[in-house]
Amino acid sequence: MTFNEHSKTLKQQKKYKEAISHLTPEIEKSPNNAHLYYQRCKLHLKNSYYKQANDDISIAIELSPDKWIYHYQKACLYQTTQQHSQGLKEINKALDTFKQTMSKIVHKQTNKDMCKIYRLRASIHYDTENFLNAYKDFKKAFRLSQNNPKVIYGFAQSLRKRGKFLKATQYYNKVSELEKGNHMPIFYRGICFYKLERFDKAIESFKQTVEINPYYFYAWHNLISCLNKMGNFNEALHYSEHVREFRLLKESNYPFGEVSGCYFSLGQSQKAITNINNHLKYRPNSFSGNCKKVEILMKQLLFTDAAKICKRIKNKYPNNNHFKVLYLRGLCNMYNGKLKEAQNELYFLVQKQPENPQYINSLHECTRELPNFKSNSKISAKFEHAQRCINNKTPMHIKLQISANIYLENNQPELARKKLQKLLIYIPNCQEFWVCYLLSKCFLLEKNVLQSLNFCKKAILLAPQCTLFNNHLKFLQKSLNN
């Protein structure tokens, strides 16, 4: 067996250490043979011997600086060791050297080699989250080799990262056709459909993913999440039990939040809380877990308990702006009648995210309950800005609530009331009491005190512990007596 044949056999058998030992004496015999250093570099890289790999490829480049493949190999090494800026420089050298070499020998550059270079440069751009340049290079690579699954997969990934979800699904489909046993393109196709809110298609993709790889817990998690969003709560719980029974997920990765949401939606509040508490045993500082518990407590109208958890989470992460926590705590304080505290928190949020119509609207509603509302020009100015911030992604219930509040601001209670009555179709169940309260305010402005009283009583029936509503009821009863 010749030297090359022996080396090839060892590589095929993945006996990389033996291959290195076989190659080293040949290097000692021919110390100026750059190709031998290049071959040993690849073997060192297979064994994760990065220093030795770097030494060998550096010698190869020094001996033959006009070989593009050596610069390419060094770029591979830099990418593996996450030295991305050096990797980018080296792959650009490989590209320049390749073009010069091809022109010097008047040889048509091969699509395969050029594709290889563009793909590596695209991967480095992708690793550094430069998704636009990654997309451009993957596109060039794809044009050169349209049946290379690695290139197509990278191209699809760059499309997804740039928000081109529907187009990305086409390329994920192509990868799955070329690589039947690969679950990753099918999983990311599901992620794209999830982003497009086509949950039925996402569910189909995630089910296909777990058929290929039943141990891929991200697919199970997303499948349960999609079923939850589709309102298929019993099916979501069925899969969650399947996951737990076969221990496909570690307890810390179990989708407690989604499962708790299913239990709550099915009216099983105690199971929802028990489930989320089990999650917090494993991860007591879980941000998502605590937020889910806050949301469930708010749906149960336990605002004081929810506010306490919000405060603890905020104190646990003092260096992070967890706007969601502050917003939830602001709402809890507002519903509990702690208006000044709520106003401070909501005002802080609006300062941090001045384009968020939801924050602006809640701040306005909170401030309106305070005695100095009319004199608070800063809040009024921000509220005028809220309508301009509404976009396609703004939920319908927020749009309606802002419109209703603008009519109230302009002393048009009848128009506000129509918006609020429509809002009852869209508003989340946990906030129905607040809409009833606003309707009561509208009827009061229309001087229909009796109807105002009826809606106030309905608000109290839905949220009996809300101080604001009880104070409003006393005011209405006093008005009727007078």
Side-chain angles (χ1 to χ4, degrees), residues 200-213:
D200 54 337
K201 291 278 188 183
I203 287 167
E204 186 183 325
S205 293
F206 295 136
K207 283 182 177 179
Q208 286 178 21
T209 304
V210 296
E211 279 177 17
I212 298 170
N213 184 357

Side-chain angles (χ1 to χ4, degrees), residues 54 103 115 117 137 146 195 229 262 290 304 323 333 347 373 378 402 445:
N54 184 61
S103 61
C115 172
I117 294 170
D137 278 339
Q146 297 190 6
K195 293 285 187 183
K229 287 186 180 296
C262 289
N290 278 294
T304 303
F323 299 136
N333 284 329
Y347 190 75
F373 168 66
K378 283 185 181 179
I402 290 171
L445 286 171

Side-chain angles (χ1 to χ4, degrees), residues 3-59:
F3 168 77
N4 287 334
E5 286 172 346
H6 191 198
S7 293
K8 189 176 181 180
T9 303
L10 290 171
K11 287 177 193 174
Q12 286 173 346
Q13 293 172 352
K14 298 185 178 180
K15 296 178 179 179
Y16 302 125
K17 289 183 181 179
E18 288 181 34
I20 291 168
S21 300
H22 177 66
L23 196 57
T24 301
E26 292 298 315
I27 292 174
E28 290 170 358
K29 288 179 193 176
S30 308
N32 293 324
N33 188 330
H35 192 67
L36 293 174
Y37 289 105
Y38 162 69
Q39 286 182 311
R40 193 169 68 175
C41 165
K42 291 200 291 183
L43 293 169
H44 282 314
L45 200 52
K46 293 281 187 184
N47 277 324
S48 302
Y49 298 158
Y50 301 126
K51 185 183 181 304
Q52 293 90 326
N54 184 61
D55 291 343
D56 277 347
I57 200 63
S58 296
I59 294 170

